[in-house]
Amino acid sequence: MTERLDQLKAFIKKVADSDAAEHQAKGIATDPVGTSGNPSQQILTPANVITFCRLLLTIAFLVIFCSGGNRYVALACYAVAACTDFLDGQVARRTRTVSWLGKIMDPVMDRVLLFTGVLGLLVAGELPLWVPIFVIGRDVYLAIGASILQKYRTRPVDVVFIGKVTTALLMFGFCLCLLGVPDVAGAGIVGVSWLPGLNNQSGCLGIFFVYAGVVCSAITAAIYTAQGIKVRGEAVKREGR
């Protein structure tokens, strides 16, 4: 049982940061403990507490919003949770309390927050169905791609700036949609029912930020795909030699 647990820990570390995991396993880690290059084994760090609070706020938002509770309270929970996405990373780096748990939890909680927002708005009938399908489907696609890429390179593909822009646009758009104002007249650009705001149907201003986020999301997926194909090609070429 202990051996399996150790294997699981080693696998999780490899997925979270293969370079740091390898350096620690070989005893050649030179960065100070608690930095990104040499995470600690600590659990109750200030940054991890903030990340855990983000989870609680996310759950509170979903319960309040989907049960028809006060929309402004739900929005406050979601907005504060979204702000902690930036805060916990800064706290961890500045206080040298970067941990393996934090490296694993932070990206997971980011996706949970994003999925909760999009699903909450879908349940409330304030987002067309294709938006959550696209947002969640893109992440599933990238997760599958990352798992396949592990066969060719342990280090994950580097995060691109437009990926961060995507998250910011979607989060801001969701917050405005949760608020429900301002409401703008339909632009009348298209005649399809599944593009509120761009058709003749009025919509919240936030939907336009969501559309921008979806476009950036598609671009991000294309960039990651191209990088993955390049990594695979280089690996196959090396093996061929």
Side-chain angles (χ1 to χ4, degrees), residues 97-109:
T97 54
V98 176
S99 66
W100 283 111
L101 180 61
K103 272 184 169 287
I104 297 163
M105 283 180 59
D106 189 50
V108 171
M109 290 303 103

Side-chain angles (χ1 to χ4, degrees), residues 103-161:
K103 272 184 169 287
I104 297 163
M105 283 180 59
D106 189 50
V108 171
M109 290 303 103
D110 289 348
R111 304 337 288 173
V112 169
L113 179 63
L114 190 62
F115 293 168
T116 301
V118 75
L119 290 175
L121 288 169
L122 176 65
V123 170
E126 299 184 24
L127 271 184
L129 178 61
W130 68 268
V131 173
I133 290 177
F134 179 88
V135 171
I136 296 175
R138 190 213 72 145
D139 273 14
V140 171
Y141 164 74
L142 291 180
I144 294 173
S147 65
I148 294 174
L149 203 60
Q150 284 284 320
K151 300 178 182 178
Y152 304 98
R153 189 180 76 176
T154 55
R155 184 170 64 85
V157 173
D158 295 330
V159 176
V160 294
F161 177 73

Side-chain angles (χ1 to χ4, degrees), residues 5-112:
L5 184 59
D6 290 340
Q7 290 176 348
L8 178 60
K9 289 180 179 179
F11 173 75
I12 292 174
K13 287 183 178 182
K14 184 178 178 181
V15 172
D17 192 330
S18 59
D19 289 343
E22 182 179 357
H23 291 165
Q24 284 188 350
K26 293 181 178 179
I28 58 174
T30 57
D31 294 341
V33 176
T35 59
S36 184
N38 192 11
S40 72
Q41 304 287 346
Q42 290 182 297
I43 295 177
L44 290 177
T45 66
N48 289 347
V49 171
I50 293 173
T51 304
F52 183 68
C53 288
R54 180 152 85 249
L55 174 61
L56 295 179
L57 286 169
T58 303
I59 295 173
F61 152 74
L62 190 62
V63 172
I64 295 171
F65 189 73
C66 293
S67 64
N70 189 296
R71 179 182 285 264
Y72 296 103
V73 174
L75 173 62
C77 290
Y78 192 84
V80 173
C83 290
T84 63
D85 177 27
F86 170 79
L87 182 61
D88 54 4
Q90 289 294 313
V91 169
R93 285 187 289 271
R94 292 180 182 276
T95 60
R96 286 191 178 180
T97 54
V98 176
S99 66
W100 283 111
L101 180 61
K103 272 184 169 287
I104 297 163
M105 283 180 59
D106 189 50
V108 171
M109 290 303 103
D110 289 348
R111 304 337 288 173
V112 169

Side-chain angles (χ1 to χ4, degrees), residues 154-205:
T154 55
R155 184 170 64 85
V157 173
D158 295 330
V159 176
V160 294
F161 177 73
I162 193 171
K164 298 180 180 179
V165 173
T166 296
T167 302
L169 285 170
L170 289 175
M171 291 291 189
F172 186 66
F174 291 160
C175 285
L176 286 180
C177 288
L178 290 171
L179 187 60
V181 292
D183 195 62
V184 294
I189 300 175
V190 296
V192 293
S193 60
W194 45 273
L195 288 175
L198 294 178
N199 54 20
N200 292 322
Q201 178 185 348
S202 64
C204 176
L205 179 63

